[in-house]
Amino acid sequence: MKSVTLKVEGMNCNGCAERIRSTVAAEPGVQSAAVSFEDGTARVLYDPQAIEENRLVEAVQRLGFRVVDRTAA
């Protein structure tokens, strides 16, 4: 498993955070996703054999948000 924290711009409320969380969590290979509106971050634990990090970024951006930074853990 691998973990990444995405810095997300454009969230206006906890509803936005929940939309991102549910969308990312539904991607194949994602074990867990936690999104914080207050921090502007999405922390994702995923299997790099099943999904690439770029696909996680694309899932967030398809919702209309911007991923401005990412940090692998």
Side-chain angles (χ1 to χ4, degrees), residues 1-67:
M1 287 295 159
K2 193 172 175 185
S3 177
V4 66
T5 300
L6 306 175
K7 181 70 175 166
V8 181
E9 284 186 348
M11 286 191 279
N12 299 316
C13 62
N14 285 320
C16 294
E18 179 55 28
R19 273 183 58 213
I20 293 170
R21 189 207 63 76
S22 63
T23 298
V24 172
E27 289 289 327
V30 173
Q31 183 173 6
S32 67
V35 182
S36 170
F37 160 63
E38 292 83 7
D39 296 337
T41 59
R43 286 179 293 286
V44 185
L45 182 63
Y46 67 100
D47 178 357
Q49 301 295 322
I51 189 169
E52 293 182 6
E53 194 174 290
N54 285 340
R55 186 159 163 194
L56 300 172
V57 170
E58 290 166 5
V60 173
Q61 293 182 337
R62 275 195 311 269
L63 294 172
F65 303 98
R66 269 187 60 213
V67 175

